[in-house]
Amino acid sequence: MALYRNHVIARLLILLFCSISLNLGATHISKPVLVEPKTQYQVGEKVVVNGWVDYNAQPTADVLLNFRVTTETGTLIAEKSYTSDKQGHFQFELETRNLQPGGYTITITSHCLEIHRDICSYNEEKLTFDLNNP
């Protein structure tokens, strides 16, 4: 009887470890990659951020990206969402005519492809830039 119980426990442990490893591998990891980001702008100059979405070291199309712009104190001043284009690239533009000089942060979060939304890792990239008087 003890041999049978040990055999059942061993099988249950193997099943448990297999299910844990399957869940760990079930994460869709895409991340935004910035291309030559500029970090100094003047009030009135348009902030332009270019990049691409990396998934398995390849640019990936149709990935939803969320762009959040905050001040140094964390106040949200802009938020928009766009998908990466057919080549996996993205561009975000911010008008600065009505902004005050200071430090700002753009947070770009990858929300993955629609089909992977439930296993998405929501990776992000941050760009801090200074807005100066002209």
Side-chain angles (χ1 to χ4, degrees):
M1 184 70 162
L3 181 62
Y4 176 74
R5 187 184 70 195
N6 289 343
H7 182 70
V8 170
I9 291 173
R11 283 186 174 220
L12 287 174
L13 286 174
I14 290 171
L15 183 61
L16 177 68
F17 288 130
C18 288
S19 66
I20 289 173
S21 66
L22 287 175
N23 287 334
L24 289 176
T27 302
H28 180 82
I29 301 172
S30 64
K31 64 179 179 180
V33 177
L34 300 178
V35 177
E36 299 180 18
K38 188 175 168 183
T39 59
Q40 297 292 320
Y41 292 90
Q42 292 185 352
V43 173
E45 184 180 2
K46 187 182 292 187
V47 174
V48 179
V49 178
N50 291 296
W52 57 284
V53 177
D54 177 347
Y55 178 66
N56 287 336
Q58 296 292 321
T60 305
D62 298 322
V63 174
L64 181 64
L65 298 160
N66 178 259
F67 299 84
R68 292 175 52 94
V69 183
T70 55
T71 64
E72 290 174 309
T73 61
T75 303
L76 179 67
I77 61 164
E79 182 172 21
K80 295 185 180 183
S81 293
Y82 303 105
T83 56
S84 55
D85 67 16
K86 292 178 183 179
Q87 291 77 38
H89 296 105
F90 63 82
Q91 183 175 66
F92 173 74
E93 297 181 357
L94 175 70
E95 283 293 338
T96 64
R97 283 177 281 182
N98 298 322
L99 296 180
Q100 297 296 316
Y104 294 85
T105 300
I106 301 174
T107 304
I108 306 152
T109 305
S110 171
H111 286 253
C112 304
L113 296 168
E114 184 65 39
I115 60 172
H116 298 132
R117 198 78 71 227
D118 59 333
I119 58 172
C120 188
S121 59
Y122 299 99
N123 289 315
E124 64 183 35
E125 185 70 34
K126 292 186 179 198
L127 172 65
T128 301
F129 67 93
D130 291 317
L131 193 58
N132 303 304
N133 282 320

